[in-house]
Amino acid sequence: MTATTPTTPAGRTDLPHAVPDTPVPDAPGRGAPGQGAPGGLAGAVAAEWTKLWSVRAPYLCLLAGLAITGVFTYYYASIARINGHPVQPAGNAAASSAVLVQFTVVVLATVAVTSEYATGSVRAALLSVPRRSRVHAAKALVVAAVAFVAGAAFAVVGTAVAWFGFDGRASFSVGLSLRQVLAIGLYEALVAVLSVGVAFATRHPAGALSILATLLWALPSILLGLGGPALAGLNGRLPHGAGERFMRPAAEAPYGPVTAVLIVTAWAAAAHVIGLYVLRRRDA
């Protein structure tokens, strides 16, 4: 004899052992309509923060930025004192050092993106946070926050070092110095967002660094080296040229600090949009 297993006809619920079909409630945060990935943007930011500090690159970049700031600001102040330049705010030395220090932020932001493509870990990141716009925004927010705090700290150190280098040929005002510290931090944060966008667009460190070095240093150097009001005006529309307008404000500037901030913000926003477009269109 062959053993048989009793079965329940489909759709029958009148038998004693039949259990009606009941909907299974969605698990919180897992595929429920209108809900995103677990943790939302806050969770994505926490994940990016953890990933950023799990490698040595950020620490090395920040140490390099601190060293460059100390050396450059003392050199700037010493040259101004030796050559008898007019008395200027001590914070100008820290603002001038941003032309070099910004590249420590560029490297930090670029490595935060391209290292994941190099190792393939970006696939895991996109699986855990399927919304690519959220991944992009979280990385930009984390790097920008680090860059702002680092830039402000560099400005404080640079102003203090420059004060000794000026040896009396500089002025110091708490209000102006505080504005310059915050302005330098803001500029570095915008450069970080710009760098993240370019890194997502190129996905390769060499390509991203080449574009950013050209935009932030090579092109402004060429325009200022050639001279002329037209080229100087064009340089004022580039990120660092506009950044100098609000990091070291001057009465003869062609536009005010607010306009300068908007110009740098527009560059960062454009890079962010381009990077997000590439991230959405191309596979990891």
Side-chain angles (χ1 to χ4, degrees):
M1 295 180 63
T2 304
T4 59
T5 303
T7 60
T8 302
R12 293 290 303 275
T13 62
D14 56 334
L15 299 179
H17 58 276
V19 180
D21 294 334
T22 56
V24 178
D26 291 320
R30 295 187 59 186
Q35 294 187 8
L41 180 60
V45 168
E48 294 299 335
W49 179 268
T50 301
K51 287 189 292 184
L52 180 67
W53 298 112
S54 64
V55 295
R56 288 178 294 179
Y59 301 97
L60 296 176
C61 289
L62 296 178
L63 286 175
L66 185 62
I68 292 171
T69 298
V71 173
F72 185 94
T73 51
Y74 189 83
Y75 171 79
Y76 178 99
S78 299
I79 292 297
R81 171 176 50 81
I82 293 171
N83 294 332
H85 291 175
V87 174
Q88 59 182 299
N92 282 2
S96 297
S97 69
V99 69
L100 294 177
V101 176
Q102 65 181 339
F103 287 104
T104 63
V105 172
V106 166
V107 173
L108 187 152
T110 300
V111 170
V113 176
T114 58
S115 62
E116 294 193 3
Y117 283 100
T119 60
S121 60
V122 66
R123 298 184 183 91
L126 295 177
L127 284 174
S128 61
V129 185
R131 290 189 181 180
R132 300 194 174 194
S133 60
R134 186 172 290 169
V135 174
H136 195 285
K139 198 173 288 291
L141 284 172
V142 168
V143 177
V146 173
F148 177 83
V149 174
F154 294 158
V156 172
V157 172
T159 302
V161 171
W163 178 256
F164 293 99
F166 279 119
D167 193 22
R169 296 198 62 85
S171 61
F172 179 80
S173 168
V174 175
L176 177 58
S177 297
L178 180 59
R179 287 196 298 270
Q180 286 189 294
V181 165
L182 296 177
I184 293 170
L186 176 61
Y187 175 75
E188 299 293 0
L190 292 173
V191 167
V193 176
L194 172 67
S195 303
V196 168
V198 173
F200 268 115
T202 59
R203 303 187 173 196
H204 195 277
L209 292 175
S210 298
I211 293 173
L212 292 166
T214 300
L215 179 63
L216 297 174
W217 178 73
L219 188 56
S221 298
I222 293 172
L223 294 176
L224 294 177
L226 294 175
L231 296 181
L234 180 59
N235 177 67
R237 268 65 183 177
L238 295 177
H240 188 258
E244 282 196 324
R245 298 292 193 275
F246 66 85
M247 286 190 291
R248 43 184 303 174
E252 66 274 9
Y255 50 80
V258 175
T259 302
V261 171
L262 292 176
I263 290 174
V264 183
T265 303
W267 278 98
H272 183 87
V273 170
I274 294 172
L276 180 58
Y277 175 80
V278 174
L279 180 62
R280 283 176 166 175
R281 296 285 295 179
R282 293 174 58 186
D283 291 333

